[in-house]
Amino acid sequence: MHSTGVHKVIDQLIFFCRRIGLWHGEDIPTATQLGLKAFCCIYYCLLPISFGIGSITGETVDESIFLAELSILTTVLTVKIWMFLWNQKSITRLLNRICVFSIQNDEDFVFFNGKVEKFIKFVNVFACGTIVATLGCSIFPFIGKKKAFVMDFAFPLDSRNSEIGFWMAYSFFTSENVLTFLPLTFSVLIWYLLLQCSLRYKILGMEIRNLGRITGVGKVKMLEKEQQTIFNRDLVASIKAHLHLRELIGELESFLSTLFLLQLATSGLCICGSIYCLAFDVSVNTVERIVHVYSLFNSIAELFMITYLGNEILLSSGRLTYSLFESEWIGKLHSTIKCIIIFGEYMKQSHEMLIGKLYPLTLETFTRILKSSYSLFNILKNTKQ
């Protein structure tokens, strides 16, 4: 028997948030912590507003399209910041309920750890890419003879002709980039929770396949009555585990439904804007092109990760019926076989996460959004021509 818990990297992220005062412990948050949370949310709201005003007052259509894309993208990030800072109890509760469970078989435990470690490696690469992009945007104004930002966002002071205005705008832009790590941290937590749900279905399938079997060194001789008792005990435990897991995923779906609906609604526009900027090369230097590439990568990665992991939950839950009939059910009592048939019929309905009770969180939805992005790109291309 092995016990799993929240990965140490995720624990470190939570500890860091508590260390800087954005999250609190078990006690009631202080006035300072509440004020810091409110300040972060209100302050970050200025970024999508700045990009939105910049898209309206842009000198060219290409620049307006890029700033409008950034405005939509940062609006979603603002919602993530709000959810991350003000739903601490819900997030920690979901982490503890979903990530803390027991695994009986050694091989299943090794399989589980391998999948989690691969995900952590991906998270490290994603974090490094984000840090490089942030540093690039922060260093860009000092490259070249003329100080200029990667994008011409709206700012009350004249940052082009005034030294004070430039440093004020630079401080605003850099601090907003630093705050962007908060919604990206929340994205990592969301991916981690979805991964845990899919892995728990896979582990459950492995345990169902081994119903009534004694794992360990050597063979143990048992009477037929004892085998029946162990099989029935494991069957009841699997039924309870399946119902509990569906309940947990239902809570996660309810908590993230609004955010996922917003992401599905806006990701197509963001992907279309990035492809447009890259296809028509609206950038004037290499750094801007890198920003467009990162924006495209971020939009696709955010959408792909939630739909891919949602699709994994669908597939892993759909294999449970086959795992049940792979178990050693032949020769069991008539009452036991009847329970197996009923349980198998119940598990035939795969667990499909529905967003807004309309859109399934699957790879099919991902391809549909990409197709809609391509259609929007064709419209913009025809308009430009």
Side-chain angles (χ1 to χ4, degrees), residues 113-137:
N113 284 336
K115 291 292 184 180
V116 173
E117 290 300 329
K118 287 182 181 179
F119 171 77
I120 296 299
K121 289 180 181 179
F122 168 78
V123 168
N124 291 333
V125 173
F126 180 77
C128 292
T130 303
I131 293 173
V132 170
T134 302
L135 291 176
C137 291

Side-chain angles (χ1 to χ4, degrees), residues 78-194:
T78 303
V79 175
K80 286 187 176 183
I81 283 185
W82 180 84
M83 292 184 65
F84 179 66
L85 294 181
W86 297 102
N87 293 278
Q88 173 188 340
K89 290 184 178 179
S90 298
I91 295 172
T92 53
R93 182 172 179 268
L94 286 170
L95 282 171
N96 291 328
R97 295 194 67 194
I98 293 176
C99 303
V100 179
F101 63 102
S102 299
I103 300 178
Q104 297 181 359
N105 199 326
D106 295 341
E107 295 179 358
D108 299 348
F109 185 70
V110 172
F111 167 80
F112 175 83
N113 284 336
K115 291 292 184 180
V116 173
E117 290 300 329
K118 287 182 181 179
F119 171 77
I120 296 299
K121 289 180 181 179
F122 168 78
V123 168
N124 291 333
V125 173
F126 180 77
C128 292
T130 303
I131 293 173
V132 170
T134 302
L135 291 176
C137 291
S138 300
I139 297 174
F140 176 78
F142 305 102
I143 300 176
K145 298 180 180 179
K146 187 178 179 180
K147 295 180 179 179
F149 294 98
V150 177
M151 66 286 294
D152 294 328
F153 57 91
F155 195 76
L157 302 178
D158 187 4
S159 59
R160 295 183 178 180
N161 303 317
S162 172
E163 188 72 15
I164 298 177
F166 168 78
W167 285 107
M168 291 288 289
Y170 180 78
S171 300
F172 168 77
F173 184 67
T174 304
S175 59
E176 294 285 10
N177 279 337
V178 172
L179 282 178
T180 303
F181 283 98
L182 293 180
L184 294 182
T185 300
F186 186 45
S187 295
V188 170
L189 293 179
I190 292 172
W191 301 343
Y192 181 70
L193 287 170
L194 291 174

